[in-house]
Every structure is written in structure tokens, then in C-alpha cells.
Amino acid sequence: MSKARLEAFSDGVIAVAITLLALDLTVPEPGHGELLTQLGDHWPQFAAYAVSFFTIGIIWVNHHARVSLIVVVDRTLLFLNLVLLLFVVLIPFATATMATYLTGGGEESHIAMAVYAVVLEGMALSFTAMFEWSLVEGRTLVSVPLAQRRNARVRASIGTLVYAAVFAVAFISAPLALALAGVTAVYYVFAPVPHIGIEAEVDQLTSGPL
Amino acid sequence: MSKARLEAFSDGVIAVAITLLALDLTVPEPGHGELLTQLGDHWPQFAAYAVSFFTIGIIWVNHHARVSLIVVVDRTLLFLNLVLLLFVVLIPFATATMATYLTGGGEESHIAMAVYAVVLEGMALSFTAMFEWSLVEGRTLVSVPLAQRRNARVRASIGTLVYAAVFAVAFISAPLALALAGVTAVYYVFAPVPHIGIEAEVDQLTSGPL
Amino acid sequence: MSKARLEAFSDGVIAVAITLLALDLTVPEPGHGELLTQLGDHWPQFAAYAVSFFTIGIIWVNHHARVSLIVVVDRTLLFLNLVLLLFVVLIPFATATMATYLTGGGEESHIAMAVYAVVLEGMALSFTAMFEWSLVEGRTLVSVPLAQRRNARVRASIGTLVYAAVFAVAFISAPLALALAGVTAVYYVFAPVPHIGIEAEVDQLTSGPL
Amino acid sequence: MSKARLEAFSDGVIAVAITLLALDLTVPEPGHGELLTQLGDHWPQFAAYAVSFFTIGIIWVNHHARVSLIVVVDRTLLFLNLVLLLFVVLIPFATATMATYLTGGGEESHIAMAVYAVVLEGMALSFTAMFEWSLVEGRTLVSVPLAQRRNARVRASIGTLVYAAVFAVAFISAPLALALAGVTAVYYVFAPVPHIGIEAEVDQLTSGPL
């Protein structure tokens, strides 16, 4: 099993999932009121689209960063990767459900947002499992020194903590939980590399023109 | 015809098909009862999604493992590959039909699950045909020794037997047949390589860092 | 503009279009009669799916065979390629329309099939234009000798004649026209290479293990 | 982060988005009047499809031309690229909304077209930002000489001016604004390379067989 095709397949699945997010943006039919008002009433769909778009974008970036260091592809990695993709593919569904109930308030909005958080948590846990798999000696181009492993583990599993927090906040206020997920996504895009994984050390070895 | 583009096209089609599986996960509209209850009532959709996801994932892994050894691309291979993809692309439709009728019981649930089994059987038979094509001397990097061919053939055609069994069980109980398909998919992910094909012998020749 | 990315983009678009064909296969809801009867009544959808699947598959094969010989990528080629893809992306829509009206008989079935033929003709004409562009000296790895160009042109434009015939037959019988398109697609898969283009001569130069 | 996977992911997203444009082409059901008349009444859908198809096609060409010169991939580029893709993925939704209201006339048609223009403007601004990022010394294979930067900037930002004009014209006549967007797309396909960016100078360095 070549790593190139693992990357190509994952890229394909993630690219389709991120694009299907927009299928939930419904076109208001003529005759249901002012177009601008209608589009305004659909703001949860647009906010949910943006948050999920960057969330999937970030997992793509992190997936790439980690897989690019891997030198051995075995059945366990393939399985973990499939589980990760299974959750990524669920995101458009979870996003649509969450956006539909977001502003309704009450119990239903809490549950819809909690379902969304569960799917993101599943994605984060799968990624953490892939990361953990990759820490075993000889599976990556450059190993993480033992002394730094605990640190690396904590950094790689920040996502699992964030989405647990999103889950908890969902039962206080669904829009607040969405805002938390959105801030996280944007933060991760700009986060200095050391905060995301162990790539910082590795970058020094592999940096230079592509 | 380069093999690289055959792989890229197949990866693309399989990636889109696996992602379209999630389109059948419908978002319950507000006002039709408790959200959690509704999501619970849709468990056949989620179970069917998971089984089909891993089934397509496995065929992708096996497709890749076999094609990576091929050194000659002719029109027959292209045709067999197209037939395989034709069945893969039918899986989201077959999955949706099966999930809709799964818990209805009676004749309809049996037929819906049988249709699902027929599509998976078509996929398995196409793959077996591709495998058989690849056994001819000179078509792969490393040939299967004559003495081991019968063994390799049996291993490669296990899928056709499993889906025939799923077809038969469909007429006893649709959920049981789905469970059988699911167990098979998970089993194959973890199955030791020799049980899937003849890659075991070949791996010894091509193993090492990617 | 590198050829690799032109191929990757075209592969992506064609892969998505061929997979979207299956979206027209509708799942019969429970309570509308026997499932088997309903699936049987949808035979035009399944026949149309199979014909369009192989038609897109063939254009992918031919696109690949021709582009693999090209050594210069200019704006005209990009434009012709976009026009080709524009028609390919229309095929799922044209297939769905045609399948819906196929067995209704009368004027509507003729028009629906004629629309399908027009889209396929647009695809064939775009491909012929790309082929013609590639005949200019220096644009391909191996040029077609002047003496053989007329021959090559005829072969490359067979598709445009076939789909013109499908258009004409549409006004006699829509199912007959679909059968003609289907036979053509299967024939092309198995056709000896010389009948499709000029690849035969070129193959002698580039043949060997990939 | 390798550039190859940035390109592959972007190609995937753009390919899916361009293909989803056709999902808005609805199949008229039998019994709602003459098929030809119905298809004729849907001309805004077809015109909008063609314009958006070439618009996405052009941004793909320009994206490719610019990224192919880049030699450094950092977090800022990844973020800018994600923002660009976010707008590209919105185009099928904006196209469908615009086509639905195009011929209705009055306020609604102006607003629907203005929304379309805003999405295209967002795409153009993101691309301009990526271009600006790439002008910094050492980020591309070949730098733009200081004396030519102002010129290069003007050329690269033509799109942002055009879509601002489309926005303005939307409030006079929606069909006229669509025609302007369409003429722009076709013009760009054929525009001599120097009018699009600074690739002209670079081409002299990298030209030759692919």
C-alpha cells in the first residue's frame, strides 16, 4: 500500500465532504417574502457552513502534516484513517441538523449542537489515534524524542478537549457552542506550528524549497 | 494508458461514492417530534452508512493493493475496472433502499436487502475478474507461482462467497444480513494480509520504507 | 500550465460527473406498492445509468489516451478542455431527463432523447476539436504522418457521427436510440485501438511496462 | 506541507464545485406542459450554468498558474487558499439563487444578482490576497522585478474590478450583469497571458516541453 494513494483517497473524500457542506444552503423560492430577509433568516446555515468549512480545512492540514512524515503504511493505519474519514463525511449531515435547530432554542437546539460536537469529537479522537500510532519508533521519518512525547501528545489531543467543551457548552447555548467551535477553527489556522503538533522540530530537518 | 491515471480516476470515483453515502442521512425537520427520538428511529440509516462505508473502504484498499502490482494496462482491464466502478457507484442507492426497508420486516425488507447483496456481489465478481486477469504471466510485477494460484484464487474470491451468503440470509432476516456484511467489512480491515490475496509473498519483495 | 494538473482536474470533474449519475436512481418509499415491481418500473433509470456510465467512461479513456501524448499546453487547449467538461457535466441532467420520458412514448420521449443526443454530440465535437488541435506539428510527442491524417481524423470523429445517428433515431423510437448509444459505448470499450484514434502507431513507440 | 497536496486538495474542491453546478438543472416532470417549452423556460438556469462553469474554470487556471511558481507553503497561504475555496464552494448556491430570480425582474432579481456578484468578488479578493502574498521575495521560483510589481498587481486585481462592476450593473438589470460576467469569463480564457498576471515573463524561463 503506497502512501501516495492513501493521501490521494483521503484528499478526495475530504474535498467532496467540504464541498457538500454547501448543499445545505437552500435557495429561497420566489413568493416566500423578501429575498434579503429570507437570506438573513438563514444566517445559521451560513455561520454553520463557515465553521464546518474551516474545521474540515484544519483537519485536512493536520492530516497532511502528520501523514507526510509517515514511512510505514499498515492495516491498522488504514483502518484508523477510514474511521477518521467516516466522521469527516458525517460533518455535512451534522452541520445541516445543527443549523436547522440552532436558533429554535430550548432542548432541541442543545441536542442538535451536541450531536454536532459528538461528530467533531469522533473526528478528533480518530486523529489522536492516528497520531498515537505514528509515535511508535520507525513509523515516521523523524521520531519524537521520548522526553518530548508527553508534550506532543497533549498538543495533538487539544482538539479532543475543545470539542468536549463544545459538547458541554451546547447544553447552555447552542449559538455560543458554535462560536466556540468557530473561534477554535480560525485559531488553529493561525496557531504557531509548535502548538499543533511536533512538526516544529521536524520542520527544521525538512525545511527549504519544496 | 498510464496506470497512474487509472488509479487517480478510480480513487476519485470511489471517494465520491463513499461520501455520497451520507446524503441519505436525512435531517429531521423541527416539529416532527423529539430530535433524539427521531435520530434514534433513523438507526438503520446510520448502521447502513457504517457498513457501506467500510465495505467501499475495503474494496478501495484491495483495488489499490492489486493495481499497484500491475505493469500492463489494456482495454480489457479498463473495461473490468469500469464495471467494478459501476457497481461501487450503485452502492449509495442500494444502501438507501436497504436502509429504508430494513426494519419494516416482511417481504419488502428481504427484497431490499437482497438488492443490496446483488450490488455487492456484482462488485465482488468484478474485482475477482480483475484479479483473474492479473494472474496471467507478465501482467504484474511479481507473478504468483503456479502452485499457489489455486490458493490465491480462493482467497481473492472470498468476497463473492460472503455476499452470496448475505443474499441468502436476506430472506431470513434483513438486519441479520446487514450484520453479516458489517462483520465481514470490519474483519477484512484487520485480516492478516495472506487471507486477502497474494500480497503477502509480494510484500516481502517490495517492503521497506515507501 | 502543467499537463499533470490539467489531467488531475479533468479526472476529478469526470469522476464526480460519472458518480452523480446514480443520484437519479430514486429509492421507492414504502407504501407505494411492491418494491420489486417498483424497481422493475424504474428500468429506464437503470438502463440510462448504465449507458451513460460507459459513455463517460469511454470519453475518459479517450481523453486520457490523447492528452498523454500532448507536450504543449496553451490557452486554446484549456478552453477546448473546459468546453468538453461542460458537456460531460451536463450528462447526468440529460440522462435523468431522458430516463424520465423514455417509456412515455410520443413527442415528449423523442424530444427528451434528442436533448440527450445533443449533449453527447457536444461532448463528441469538443473532443474532435481537441483532437484537431493536437494534430498540429509539435504539439504531441509523436506526430501523425501527413498521409495518415485524413484517416486519423475520420476515426477520431466517429463519435460525432454516432451521436448524430442517435439524434435521428430519437425521433423514431427513444428506447431504440438508447440501445444504439449503449451498443456504441460497449463496442468502443472493446474496439481494437486502431479504430479509435491513431494511438496504434504511437503505442509501438511507447509500449512496454508502465 | 507539500505544495503537491495543496494543489491536489484545491483541484478536488474546485472539480466538485464545478460539477455540482449542474445539480440546479432540474428535470421537468411529465405532465407539466410541453418538454421543449419547459426547457426553454429554464434558459436562465442554463445561461447561469455556463457563466459559472467558465468562471470557476478560469479561477482554476489562474490558481494553477500562480501556485505552480510558489516554492514556500506557510500557514498564511493555507488560510488564504481555504478562504478562496470557501467562496468557490458558495458559487453553486449563488448561481442557483441568481438563476431562480433572474427573469423575475424588479428588486428581487437585483438582489439575487448582487449576492452572486458578492460571492465572485469574495473569490477575486481572496485570489488577489494570495497573489499579493506570493509577491514577497523568495516565495516564488521567479520574482517579479520591483519595477513591474505595480503593473502585475493591477493585472492580478482586474477580477475584483470586474465583479464590482457586475455588482453595480445588477441594480440596473440582472440579465445584463450576467452577460457582463459571461463575457469576462470567455475573454479571460482567450486573453493573452500578459493581461492575466506576470506569467509572461516567467514562461520564457520555464517554457519548453512539459
Side-chain angles (χ1 to χ4, degrees):
Chain A
M1 168 59 63
S2 90
K3 202 176 67 173
R5 219 174 148 188
L6 172 68
E7 292 181 324
F9 183 69
S10 304
D11 281 356
V13 171
I14 297 173
V16 179
I18 209 171
T19 316
L20 291 185
L21 284 173
L23 284 189
D24 189 46
L25 303 175
T26 44
V27 186
E29 285 293 313
H32 286 79
E34 288 278 311
L35 178 56
L36 259 189
T37 315
Q38 282 194 76
L39 288 174
D41 289 348
H42 278 75
W43 75 260
Q45 267 75 31
F46 293 104
Y49 166 71
V51 171
S52 290
F53 193 94
F54 281 104
T55 302
I56 296 181
I58 293 303
I59 201 69
W60 171 73
V61 170
N62 288 344
H63 183 270
H64 187 287
R66 199 63 203 152
V67 172
S68 68
L69 296 177
I70 289 174
V71 289
V72 173
V73 176
D74 67 7
R75 295 246 149 197
T76 305
L77 178 63
L78 289 177
F79 178 71
L80 294 176
N81 194 58
L82 275 178
V83 173
L84 174 65
L85 294 179
L86 181 138
F87 283 107
V88 169
V89 170
L90 283 176
I91 291 178
F93 159 74
T95 303
T97 304
M98 176 265 281
T100 301
Y101 288 90
L102 188 70
T103 53
E107 194 62 13
E108 303 293 88
S109 73
H110 300 166
I111 290 171
M113 179 53 79
V115 169
Y116 181 68
V118 165
V119 170
L120 297 190
E121 183 71 24
M123 179 186 80
L125 286 172
S126 320
F127 183 73
T128 302
M130 280 182 70
F131 186 85
E132 197 65 29
W133 176 94
S134 75
L135 282 183
V136 173
E137 211 64 34
R139 287 181 175 163
T140 49
L141 203 61
V142 180
S143 296
V144 184
L146 272 172
Q148 296 168 28
R149 275 200 197 174
R150 199 171 153 241
N151 211 10
R153 276 188 178 112
V154 170
R155 283 164 179 171
S157 56
I158 285 177
T160 62
L161 301 178
V162 169
Y163 297 125
V166 171
F167 182 84
V169 175
F171 291 97
I172 302 166
S173 159
L176 194 66
L178 180 61
L180 176 59
V183 167
T184 305
V186 172
Y187 169 78
Y188 268 118
V189 177
F190 285 114
V193 175
H195 287 267
I196 292 182
I198 55 153
E199 281 71 53
E201 295 81 6
V202 172
D203 278 355
Q204 295 167 359
L205 295 163
T206 61
S207 65
L210 311 173
Chain B
M1 168 59 62
S2 89
K3 202 177 66 173
R5 218 174 149 187
L6 171 68
E7 293 181 323
F9 184 68
S10 303
D11 281 355
V13 171
I14 297 173
V16 179
I18 209 171
T19 315
L20 291 185
L21 284 173
L23 284 189
D24 190 46
L25 303 175
T26 44
V27 186
E29 286 294 313
H32 287 78
E34 289 278 312
L35 178 56
L36 260 189
T37 316
Q38 281 194 76
L39 289 173
D41 290 348
H42 278 74
W43 73 262
Q45 267 74 32
F46 294 102
Y49 165 72
V51 171
S52 291
F53 193 95
F54 281 104
T55 302
I56 296 182
I58 293 303
I59 201 69
W60 171 72
V61 170
N62 288 343
H63 183 270
H64 186 286
R66 199 62 204 154
V67 171
S68 68
L69 297 176
I70 290 174
V71 289
V72 174
V73 175
D74 67 8
R75 295 245 150 200
T76 305
L77 177 63
L78 289 177
F79 178 71
L80 294 176
N81 194 57
L82 276 179
V83 173
L84 174 65
L85 294 179
L86 181 137
F87 283 108
V88 169
V89 170
L90 282 176
I91 291 178
F93 160 74
T95 303
T97 304
M98 176 265 281
T100 301
Y101 288 89
L102 188 70
T103 52
E107 195 62 14
E108 304 293 87
S109 73
H110 299 165
I111 290 171
M113 178 54 78
V115 168
Y116 181 69
V118 164
V119 170
L120 297 190
E121 183 71 25
M123 181 187 78
L125 286 172
S126 318
F127 183 73
T128 302
M130 279 183 71
F131 186 85
E132 196 64 30
W133 175 94
S134 75
L135 281 183
V136 173
E137 211 63 35
R139 286 181 175 162
T140 49
L141 202 62
V142 180
S143 295
V144 184
L146 272 172
Q148 296 167 27
R149 276 201 197 173
R150 197 168 154 245
N151 211 8
R153 274 189 180 111
V154 171
R155 284 165 178 170
S157 56
I158 284 177
T160 62
L161 300 178
V162 168
Y163 297 124
V166 171
F167 183 84
V169 175
F171 291 97
I172 301 166
S173 159
L176 195 65
L178 180 61
L180 177 58
V183 167
T184 305
V186 172
Y187 169 77
Y188 268 118
V189 176
F190 285 113
V193 175
H195 287 265
I196 292 182
I198 55 155
E199 281 71 52
E201 295 81 5
V202 172
D203 277 354
Q204 295 167 357
L205 295 163
T206 59
S207 65
L210 309 172
Chain C
M1 168 58 62
S2 89
K3 202 176 65 172
R5 218 174 149 185
L6 171 69
E7 292 181 324
F9 183 67
S10 303
D11 282 355
V13 171
I14 297 173
V16 179
I18 209 171
T19 316
L20 292 185
L21 284 174
L23 284 189
D24 190 47
L25 302 175
T26 45
V27 185
E29 286 293 313
H32 287 78
E34 288 278 311
L35 178 57
L36 259 190
T37 316
Q38 282 193 76
L39 288 174
D41 289 348
H42 278 75
W43 74 261
Q45 266 76 29
F46 293 102
Y49 166 72
V51 171
S52 290
F53 193 96
F54 281 104
T55 302
I56 295 181
I58 293 303
I59 201 70
W60 171 72
V61 170
N62 288 343
H63 183 271
H64 186 286
R66 199 62 204 154
V67 171
S68 68
L69 296 176
I70 289 174
V71 288
V72 174
V73 175
D74 66 8
R75 295 248 150 197
T76 305
L77 178 64
L78 288 177
F79 178 72
L80 294 176
N81 194 57
L82 276 179
V83 173
L84 174 66
L85 294 180
L86 181 137
F87 282 108
V88 169
V89 171
L90 282 176
I91 291 178
F93 160 74
T95 303
T97 304
M98 176 265 281
T100 301
Y101 287 90
L102 188 70
T103 53
E107 194 63 12
E108 303 294 88
S109 74
H110 299 165
I111 290 171
M113 179 54 80
V115 168
Y116 182 68
V118 165
V119 170
L120 297 190
E121 183 72 23
M123 179 186 78
L125 286 172
S126 318
F127 183 73
T128 302
M130 279 183 71
F131 186 84
E132 196 65 29
W133 175 93
S134 75
L135 281 182
V136 173
E137 210 63 33
R139 287 181 176 162
T140 49
L141 202 63
V142 180
S143 295
V144 184
L146 272 173
Q148 295 167 28
R149 278 202 195 173
R150 200 172 151 241
N151 210 9
R153 277 189 177 111
V154 170
R155 283 166 178 171
S157 57
I158 284 177
T160 62
L161 301 178
V162 168
Y163 296 125
V166 171
F167 183 85
V169 174
F171 291 97
I172 301 166
S173 160
L176 195 66
L178 180 60
L180 177 58
V183 166
T184 305
V186 172
Y187 168 77
Y188 267 118
V189 177
F190 286 113
V193 175
H195 286 266
I196 291 181
I198 54 154
E199 281 73 52
E201 295 83 4
V202 172
D203 277 356
Q204 295 167 359
L205 296 163
T206 60
S207 65
L210 310 173
Chain D
M1 168 60 61
S2 89
K3 202 176 67 174
R5 217 174 149 187
L6 171 69
E7 292 181 324
F9 183 68
S10 304
D11 282 356
V13 171
I14 296 173
V16 179
I18 209 171
T19 316
L20 291 185
L21 285 173
L23 284 190
D24 190 47
L25 303 175
T26 45
V27 186
E29 285 294 313
H32 287 78
E34 289 278 312
L35 178 56
L36 259 189
T37 316
Q38 282 193 74
L39 288 174
D41 290 348
H42 278 75
W43 74 261
Q45 266 75 30
F46 293 102
Y49 166 71
V51 171
S52 291
F53 193 95
F54 281 104
T55 301
I56 295 181
I58 293 303
I59 202 69
W60 171 72
V61 170
N62 288 343
H63 183 270
H64 187 287
R66 199 61 204 154
V67 171
S68 68
L69 297 176
I70 289 174
V71 289
V72 173
V73 175
D74 66 8
R75 294 247 149 197
T76 306
L77 178 64
L78 288 177
F79 178 70
L80 295 176
N81 194 57
L82 275 179
V83 173
L84 174 66
L85 294 179
L86 181 138
F87 283 108
V88 169
V89 170
L90 282 176
I91 291 178
F93 160 73
T95 303
T97 304
M98 176 265 280
T100 301
Y101 287 90
L102 189 70
T103 53
E107 195 62 11
E108 303 293 88
S109 73
H110 299 165
I111 289 171
M113 179 54 80
V115 169
Y116 182 68
V118 165
V119 170
L120 297 190
E121 183 71 24
M123 179 186 78
L125 286 172
S126 319
F127 183 72
T128 302
M130 280 182 71
F131 186 84
E132 196 65 29
W133 176 93
S134 75
L135 281 183
V136 173
E137 211 65 33
R139 286 180 176 163
T140 50
L141 203 61
V142 180
S143 295
V144 183
L146 272 173
Q148 294 167 28
R149 276 201 195 175
R150 202 176 148 234
N151 211 9
R153 277 189 176 111
V154 170
R155 282 165 178 170
S157 57
I158 284 176
T160 62
L161 301 178
V162 168
Y163 296 124
V166 171
F167 183 85
V169 175
F171 291 96
I172 301 165
S173 160
L176 194 66
L178 179 60
L180 176 58
V183 167
T184 305
V186 171
Y187 168 77
Y188 267 117
V189 177
F190 285 114
V193 175
H195 286 266
I196 291 179
I198 55 153
E199 281 71 53
E201 295 82 3
V202 172
D203 277 355
Q204 295 167 359
L205 296 163
T206 60
S207 64
L210 310 174

